[in-house]
Amino acid sequence: LLIVVIVIAVAWKGSNVFVLRPLGVLAHASERLGKGDLNARTELPQTHDEFGRLAQTFDRMAVSLQRRRDEAEIHDRELRQINRALRTLSAGNRTLVRATDEASLLHKMCTVAVEYGGYRMAWVGYAENDTEKSVRPVAQAGVDTAFLEALRITWDESEHGSDPTGKAIRTGKPCVSYGLQSEPQYQAWHSAAQEHEINSVVSLPLHVDQKVLGALTIYSEDVDAFDSAEIELLSDMVEDLAYGISALRTRIKHDTAQATIERMAYY
C-alpha cells in the first residue's frame, strides 16, 4: 500500500510539473494575447515534446502578430502624414488662386499649414544680405514673434545658422531635423522647443527668380514627422508658393511700368 501511495504521489507531482504547469502557462499567455497584449510569450523551454512544440508555435504566432501590428501602425502613420500634407497642399493651392499681395499670401500659407495641416507652427523667413546673414521673419502662424526672435536664426556657418532654416537657405535644399528638445547640435533651441512642444522641423527653400529668397519652415510635435513622401508634397506646395510670389512681383512691375507709360504719354 505504501508503494502504491508513493507511486501515486510521484505521478501527481510529475503531472503537476510536466503537464499542469505548462498548461497553466499556455492558458495565461493565451488569455493575455486574446486581450490584445501582443507581448505575451510562454517563455517555456523549446523542447521536442508536445508542450515544447506547442509553446514554440504559440510564441512564433505572437511574434508574427506583433510584427504585423507594428507594420500596420507604421503604415497608418505614413498615411496620416501624407493626408496631412495633401490637405495643406490643396488648401495652399486655393490660397494661391485668391492671392492679391505678397504679404497676405505668405501669412495665409502659414495659416494653412497650421489650420489645415495640423502642424504646430509655420513661418516664412527671407534671407538678408547683411553682415550677420540674418533671416527676417515676414509671416508666421501658430508662433509669435518673440519665439522667432529668441532663436536668432541666420543662414551663415555659425551656431545660429546650423538649424534647418539656415541650412535650407544656404544649400537651397529641403532640410529636416528631429530631436529639437534633446539633440546636442540644437542646444540653443532646447528650451524654446520644449516650451512650444516641438520635436521635429522641416525647412523648404523658396526659389524665386533663380535665387533662394528664403524658406518656409514647419514645426511638428510628432517625433517621427516629415518622411520622404510628406516632404515631397510640402516641397510641391513651396514651389507653388514661390511661383505665386514671382507672379505677384511681376504683376506689380507690370502695373508700375504701365502707370509710368501712361504718365509719360499724357503729362
Side-chain angles (χ1 to χ4, degrees):
L1 180 60
L2 179 60
I3 295 175
V4 172
V5 171
I6 293 174
V7 170
I8 294 174
V10 171
W12 178 85
K13 185 176 182 180
S15 65
N16 185 50
V17 173
F18 297 107
V19 178
L20 296 181
R21 180 181 175 277
L23 280 176
V25 171
L26 282 166
H28 180 64
S30 299
E31 184 179 0
R32 287 177 56 194
L33 189 64
K35 292 180 178 179
D37 182 5
L38 300 185
N39 292 315
R41 303 289 186 274
T42 64
E43 297 182 358
L44 291 173
Q46 305 296 317
T47 57
H48 294 289
D49 57 18
E50 288 79 1
F51 287 111
R53 292 197 298 270
L54 183 59
Q56 185 177 14
T57 301
F58 178 91
D59 290 343
R60 286 178 178 175
M61 179 185 67
V63 169
S64 177
L65 289 173
Q66 187 177 42
R67 185 183 301 114
R68 292 182 182 179
R69 183 193 64 180
D70 294 342
E71 291 174 352
E73 288 178 352
I74 292 173
H75 183 64
D76 289 343
R77 184 174 65 248
E78 291 174 347
L79 284 178
R80 287 195 302 270
Q81 292 174 350
I82 291 175
N83 288 334
R84 176 172 62 183
L86 283 172
R87 289 195 304 269
T88 306
L89 178 61
S90 177
N93 287 335
R94 293 194 298 271
T95 299
L96 285 169
V97 172
R98 302 178 181 132
T100 56
D101 65 274
E102 186 172 329
S104 63
L105 170 62
L106 296 175
H107 175 72
K108 289 178 181 178
M109 290 297 281
C110 292
T111 303
V112 160
V114 173
E115 294 184 357
Y116 288 87
Y119 296 104
R120 193 72 176 171
M121 300 176 180
W123 67 286
V124 175
Y126 281 176
E128 297 292 315
N129 290 314
D130 52 14
T131 56
E132 296 180 353
K133 292 188 175 180
S134 57
V135 179
R136 176 172 57 92
V138 292
Q140 64 269 340
V143 58
D144 53 25
T145 306
F147 170 79
L148 298 176
E149 291 175 350
L151 296 183
R152 289 180 53 213
I153 296 175
T154 66
W155 58 282
D156 60 6
E157 298 285 349
S158 68
E159 178 186 14
H160 290 281
S162 63
D163 86 308
T165 302
K167 290 180 181 178
I169 294 175
R170 196 165 56 247
T171 63
K173 298 179 180 179
C175 183
V176 61
S177 295
Y178 306 98
L180 293 185
Q181 298 186 20
S182 57
E183 292 298 325
Q185 66 265 34
Y186 304 120
Q187 185 174 359
W189 291 270
H190 283 181
S191 59
Q194 291 171 2
E195 179 182 354
H196 294 274
E197 299 180 0
I198 296 170
N199 283 296
S200 56
V201 55
V202 64
S203 189
L204 306 152
L206 281 164
H207 294 272
V208 178
D209 297 332
Q210 298 182 344
K211 68 176 184 179
V212 179
L213 176 65
L216 169 64
T217 302
I218 301 174
Y219 300 91
S220 175
E221 59 187 2
D222 297 334
V223 179
D224 50 5
F226 308 120
D227 59 11
S228 58
E230 187 173 9
I231 292 175
E232 184 177 356
L233 290 171
L234 292 175
S235 296
D236 291 340
M237 184 189 74
V238 171
E239 288 181 6
D240 294 339
L241 174 59
Y243 176 80
I245 294 172
S246 179
L248 288 172
R249 292 185 174 186
T250 300
R251 184 189 304 170
I252 292 174
K253 291 179 181 178
H254 177 270
D255 292 344
T256 302
Q258 187 66 30
T260 301
I261 291 172
E262 291 179 0
R263 186 171 60 253
M264 291 176 66
Y266 291 99
Y267 300 99

